[in-house]
Amino acid sequence: AVFHFEPIDAAKIVAEAEKIRQYEAASISSETWFPADLIAQSELRGDDNLNGRSYAANQLCHDAYIHVRVIHVENTEYFILDLHAK
């Protein structure tokens, strides 16, 4: 899932996520269903990837997932929720 927030709300989400775990650098492949802004950003890089900061997202999901993270895409107010089932 991709979410777009107002800057003040994005800052709140990051602050709450950092209480759980410090961010890690992250890269994720752009998908055709992503918003046009994100697709354009990945195309500018030339490798179809989006870079950002990955935070724990366990508070957003239940235990049915083995891998849960939310990526704040650099230079945007977009967040990508990345889930992998057990």
Side-chain angles (χ1 to χ4, degrees), residues 34-55:
F34 280 8
D37 295 349
L38 292 181
I39 293 171
Q41 183 172 336
S42 70
E43 289 174 348
L44 284 174
R45 289 182 40 83
D47 62 3
D48 289 330
N49 286 327
L50 295 163
N51 291 332
R53 293 179 170 184
S54 171
Y55 298 92

Side-chain angles (χ1 to χ4, degrees), residues 21-47:
R21 175 176 54 83
Q22 184 64 21
Y23 73 86
E24 297 173 356
S27 181
I28 191 165
S29 296
S30 180
E31 300 286 343
T32 57
W33 55 268
F34 280 8
D37 295 349
L38 292 181
I39 293 171
Q41 183 172 336
S42 70
E43 289 174 348
L44 284 174
R45 289 182 40 83
D47 62 3

Side-chain angles (χ1 to χ4, degrees), residues 14-85:
V14 167
E16 287 298 315
E18 286 181 334
K19 290 178 184 176
I20 298 170
R21 175 176 54 83
Q22 184 64 21
Y23 73 86
E24 297 173 356
S27 181
I28 191 165
S29 296
S30 180
E31 300 286 343
T32 57
W33 55 268
F34 280 8
D37 295 349
L38 292 181
I39 293 171
Q41 183 172 336
S42 70
E43 289 174 348
L44 284 174
R45 289 182 40 83
D47 62 3
D48 289 330
N49 286 327
L50 295 163
N51 291 332
R53 293 179 170 184
S54 171
Y55 298 92
N58 301 69
Q59 73 277 21
L60 300 175
C61 305
H62 55 76
D63 292 336
Y65 299 98
I66 191 167
H67 176 77
V68 181
R69 66 182 179 161
V70 63
I71 300 169
H72 184 197
V73 180
E74 66 184 12
N75 302 317
T76 74
E77 307 311 333
Y78 283 100
F79 291 79
I80 300 171
L81 183 60
D82 185 26
L83 307 170
H84 296 270

